């Protein structure tokens, strides 16, 4: 009787076992621990200098709280570790592959599943095949590896987020949405036959981890269908996106998170997913397609570079962990804790006066470095300055998502800045506890004082693609 009442209560469905408390307890106990090495301010200064002020070039044991990325940094559950022992390492037709394939087929409804070692491998295969000079790809926002894989083929990648996405302080339920008015215009300008694909990124990673509504996905789907343009979901964080849909979009209050995700997959022609995000594993990805011919062409490329069609660069044990992870990620208690704990960090920072993208997205908090360090011009990368200060002050590793990552140069080598100068604090899944987050808050509190003395940076070395990974910096002045 009691369980019946609980199940009928909508709050229960959102996943909030401890209703009525302020403290969000982690819905897990810790069985294995990994030590964090503490460092002194003096040590961190030396480490950062040696890393040329690029936190990607730091050693992980020089970092106390690693908020560089939520990608591949999840803690696996005891069920996932147990499943790994059952890994079938056969070259072809492994039972572990069947488990992964079945799970993805039943979630997505697509006929063809191609395993890859991570998301960008799937991107290179699909966009390498569809791309080339004169081709155009359109997205709410292309993630950096997506854009790089497209541009590498000579094609162009155009971002058309809704205007609300750039009003970074305004409340809006679905800032991740794609601007469908611009989409129609672009398709008719470029000609439908020149469009490689329309890519809807859920949640919109580079745009602040903001969700995409089902209504928007439906509209994009209809526009693509009526123009005969391929519609691909970048589904890296589709479970987190489903949480926001259930919470904010009318008509989804009583649907399960997994059903919401399945409905979104049903609207597209295919999907790419990095399982290092909502797959709750440390390595893995897939490309999933409806079309037989497109899938056959991609499978050929898969075998040339990734591996045979039943493992694609993954070991049997990886595929076992993926099959379990894709179930666990839709658990209401997990998703509630996940989204609420990210919001906790954001809400507290905002109360402290730290300028942020609002509302808080799913996997990360994005600090607006341009207003945090308003005295540093964009040509001197205020985001990179904040990344460095967070490390120097508290050993916190974060990443700049601004003109270091997305800046370009015009003919006279003048910087064309990115639309926003952000610093991302990405939260690894099931890794840090509330006291780690309290520590991050304290570091920010200290950084708020003496902000105006912090100096910007110039780039001393940069590679041609994805420059933020390897770039080197020097402090200005
Ligand atoms: C991480 C990510 C990718 C690329 O996946 P990798 O596994 O890192 O290669 C693509 N798109 C989005 C939105 C991502 O977040």
């Amino acid at each position: 009787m009691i369980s019946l009442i609980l199940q009928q209560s909508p709050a229960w469905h959102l996943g909030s076992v401890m209703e009525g408390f302020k403290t969000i307890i982690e819905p897990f106990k810790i069985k294995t621990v990994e030590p964090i090495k503490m460092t002194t301010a003096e040590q961190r200064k030396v480490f950062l200098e040696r890393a040329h002020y690029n936190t990607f070039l730091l050693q992980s044991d020089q970092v106390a709280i690693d908020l560089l990325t939520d990608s591949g940094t999840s803690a696996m559950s005891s069920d996932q570790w147990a499943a790994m022992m059952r890994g079938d390492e056969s070259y072809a037709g492994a039972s572990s592959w069947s488990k992964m394939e079945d799970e993805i087929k039943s979630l997505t409804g697509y006929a063809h599943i191609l395993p890859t070692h991570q998301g960008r491998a799937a991107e290179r295969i699909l966009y390498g095949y569809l791309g080339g000079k004169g081709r155009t790809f359109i997205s709410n926002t292309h993630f950096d590896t997506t854009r790089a894989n497209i541009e590498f083929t000579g094609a162009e990648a155009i971002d058309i987020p809704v205007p609300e996405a750039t009003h970074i302080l305004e409340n809006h339920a679905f800032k991740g949405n794609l601007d469908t008015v611009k989409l129609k215009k672009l398709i008719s300008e470029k000609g439908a036959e020149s469009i490689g694909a329309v890519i809807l990124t859920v949640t919109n990673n580079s745009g602040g981890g903001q969700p995409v509504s089902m209504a928007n996905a439906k509209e994009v789907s209809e526009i693509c269908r009526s123009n005969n343009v391929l519609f691909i979901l970048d589904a890296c964080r589709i479970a987190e996106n489903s949480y926001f849909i259930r919470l904010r979009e009318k008509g989804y209050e009583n649907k399960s998170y997994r059903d919401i995700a399945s409905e979104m997959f049903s609207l597209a022609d295919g999907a790419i997913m990095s399982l290092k995000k909502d797959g709750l594993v440390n390595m893995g990805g897939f490309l999933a397609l409806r079309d037989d011919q497109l899938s056959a062409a991609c499978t050929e490329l898969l075998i040339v570079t990734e591996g045979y069609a039943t493992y694609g660069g993954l070991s049997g044990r990886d595929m076992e962990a993926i099959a379990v992870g894709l179930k666990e990620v839709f658990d209401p208690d997990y998703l509630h804790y996940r989204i609420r704990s990210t919001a906790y960090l954001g809400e507290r920072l905002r109360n402290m006066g730290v300028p942020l993208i609002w509302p808080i997205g799913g996997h990360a908090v994005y600090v607006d470095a341009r207003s945090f360090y308003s005295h540093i011009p964009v040509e001197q990368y205020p985001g990179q300055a904040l990344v460095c200060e967070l490390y120097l002050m508290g050993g916190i590793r974060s990443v700049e998502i601004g003109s270091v990552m997305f800046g370009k140069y015009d003919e006279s080598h003048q910087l064309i800045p990115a639309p926003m100068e952000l610093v991302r604090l990405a939260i690894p899944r099931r890794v840090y506890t509330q006291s780690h987050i309290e520590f991050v808050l304290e570091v920010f509190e200290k950084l708020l004082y003496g902000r105006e003395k912090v100096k910007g940076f110039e780039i001393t070395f940069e590679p041609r693609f994805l420059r933020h990974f390897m770039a080197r910096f020097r402090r200005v002045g």
Side-chain angles (χ1 to χ4, degrees):
M1 192 60 190
I2 286 171
S3 69
L4 198 70
I5 294 167
L6 281 174
Q7 278 175 26
Q8 282 166 350
S9 137
W12 183 85
H13 275 290
L14 274 176
S16 45
V17 260
M18 299 297 172
E19 196 56 36
F21 288 89
K22 284 202 301 283
T23 310
I24 321 148
I25 62 167
E26 290 81 7
F28 48 78
K29 294 186 283 183
I30 296 165
K31 187 171 287 194
T32 308
V33 297
E34 184 182 343
I36 295 175
K37 237 194 226 159
M38 303 299 164
T39 52
T40 65
E42 209 34 58
Q43 286 171 322
R44 292 193 291 274
K45 195 162 164 267
V46 175
F47 294 150
L48 193 62
E49 260 167 33
R50 279 195 216 144
H52 306 280
Y53 298 95
N54 183 343
T55 48
F56 278 102
L57 303 178
L58 287 170
Q59 301 296 313
S60 67
D61 64 0
Q62 298 167 343
V63 174
I65 310 276
D66 205 344
L67 307 182
L68 182 69
T69 176
D70 64 320
S71 175
T73 52
S74 301
M76 292 209 298
S77 68
S78 48
D79 278 351
Q80 284 177 296
W81 283 108
M84 284 181 81
M85 284 304 291
R86 289 190 285 270
D88 175 356
E89 305 300 343
S90 305
Y91 190 92
S95 60
S96 303
W97 163 241
S98 302
K99 288 180 202 164
M100 173 175 164
E101 187 188 28
D102 290 351
E103 188 57 38
I104 299 171
K105 270 191 181 168
S106 97
L107 174 65
T108 62
Y110 301 141
H112 306 286
I113 314 299
L114 284 68
T116 60
H117 80 277
Q118 61 184 95
R120 72 194 68 182
E123 292 177 333
R124 193 180 53 80
I125 290 169
L126 183 65
Y127 305 139
Y129 181 74
L130 298 170
K133 226 173 154 38
R135 310 282 287 167
T136 300
F137 291 78
I138 304 168
S139 177
N140 46 348
T141 308
H142 293 84
F143 180 63
D144 56 356
T145 62
T146 318
R147 172 174 290 278
N149 272 297
I150 289 167
E151 290 179 348
F152 193 77
T153 72
E156 65 172 339
I158 301 177
D159 293 339
I160 47 165
V162 285
E164 292 88 341
T166 52
H167 306 162
I168 60 176
L169 298 178
E170 268 166 49
N171 225 340
H172 186 273
F174 292 103
K175 283 186 174 180
N177 284 354
L178 182 147
D179 188 329
T180 51
V181 177
K182 280 196 189 141
L183 177 63
K184 284 184 219 160
K185 211 166 139 247
L186 263 176
I187 292 177
S188 73
E189 270 170 25
K190 301 271 174 186
E193 63 295 338
S194 75
I195 310 289
V198 172
I199 304 162
L200 194 59
T201 310
V202 298
T203 55
N204 191 5
N205 185 352
S206 313
Q210 298 292 325
V212 175
S213 70
M214 193 69 81
N216 188 247
K218 279 183 186 159
E219 232 187 300
V220 172
S221 175
E222 275 153 28
I223 295 167
C224 287
R225 198 151 303 169
S226 64
N227 285 284
N228 207 17
V229 166
L230 193 72
F231 175 26
I232 298 294
L233 271 187
D234 181 337
C236 294
R237 296 177 183 80
I238 195 159
E240 293 172 3
N241 200 79
S242 298
Y243 183 92
F244 287 111
I245 288 179
R246 193 172 196 281
L247 188 68
R248 297 179 186 167
E249 195 165 354
K250 228 172 130 42
Y252 290 91
E253 307 79 359
N254 296 311
K255 294 224 164 103
S256 77
Y257 298 119
R258 194 172 183 278
D259 286 350
I260 294 171
S262 293
E263 182 178 338
M264 195 168 267
F265 281 117
S266 79
L267 300 170
D269 301 307
I272 278 174
M273 183 166 178
S274 167
L275 293 164
K276 301 171 70 172
K277 287 52 175 271
D278 275 353
L280 293 179
V281 291
N282 305 115
M283 195 52 70
F286 68 79
L287 165 61
L289 295 164
R290 278 188 209 289
D291 186 77
D292 299 342
Q293 276 173 346
L294 183 56
S295 152
C298 289
T299 303
E300 275 180 29
L301 297 172
L302 175 79
I303 296 171
V304 173
T305 59
E306 281 285 294
Y308 186 59
T310 64
Y311 73 87
L314 296 169
S315 50
R317 54 183 173 272
D318 290 334
M319 299 193 283
E320 291 280 344
I322 288 164
V324 177
L326 279 175
K327 287 196 180 83
E328 288 182 351
V329 78
F330 291 106
D331 172 52
D333 289 335
Y334 161 73
L335 271 179
H336 182 69
Y337 141 80
R338 169 74 180 154
I339 305 295
R340 278 303 308 148
S341 57
T342 305
Y344 174 81
L345 172 62
E347 284 160 11
R348 291 278 306 272
L349 283 174
R350 194 186 197 219
N351 290 346
M352 229 183 250
V354 176
L356 303 169
I357 291 201
W358 195 261
I360 301 301
H363 67 293
V365 171
Y366 292 74
V367 179
D368 175 14
R370 199 193 304 209
S371 20
F372 194 88
Y373 289 136
S374 53
H375 62 289
I376 301 178
V378 288
E379 293 76 18
Q380 295 177 9
Y381 307 108
Q384 196 62 26
L386 180 55
V387 164
C388 288
E389 292 307 306
L390 280 166
Y391 178 72
L392 291 171
M393 179 65 79
I396 298 165
R397 178 151 71 170
S398 56
V399 65
E400 193 257 22
I401 300 200
S403 293
V404 173
M405 193 179 270
F406 291 121
K408 301 226 156 145
Y409 297 110
D410 64 15
E411 296 85 41
S412 56
H413 206 73
Q414 289 299 302
L415 179 78
I416 307 168
M420 293 186 262
E421 304 296 330
L422 305 173
V423 168
R424 184 181 75 179
L425 308 168
I427 316 294
R429 294 168 181 77
R430 307 191 288 206
V431 170
Y432 293 114
T433 63
Q434 181 148 1
S435 83
H436 294 115
I437 298 301
E438 299 293 347
F439 174 80
V440 174
L441 291 165
E442 201 180 328
V443 169
F444 265 99
E445 217 162 57
K446 289 185 196 280
L447 287 185
L448 280 169
Y449 299 100
R451 284 196 264 192
E452 57 297 331
K453 287 192 221 93
V454 171
K455 297 216 163 69
F457 284 89
E458 59 191 346
I459 294 178
T460 58
F461 162 81
E462 60 183 295
R464 220 152 64 89
F465 292 98
L466 298 175
R467 68 173 178 173
H468 55 286
F469 286 132
M470 302 303 289
R472 296 177 177 186
F473 300 88
R474 180 168 52 214
R475 228 189 255 279
V476 172

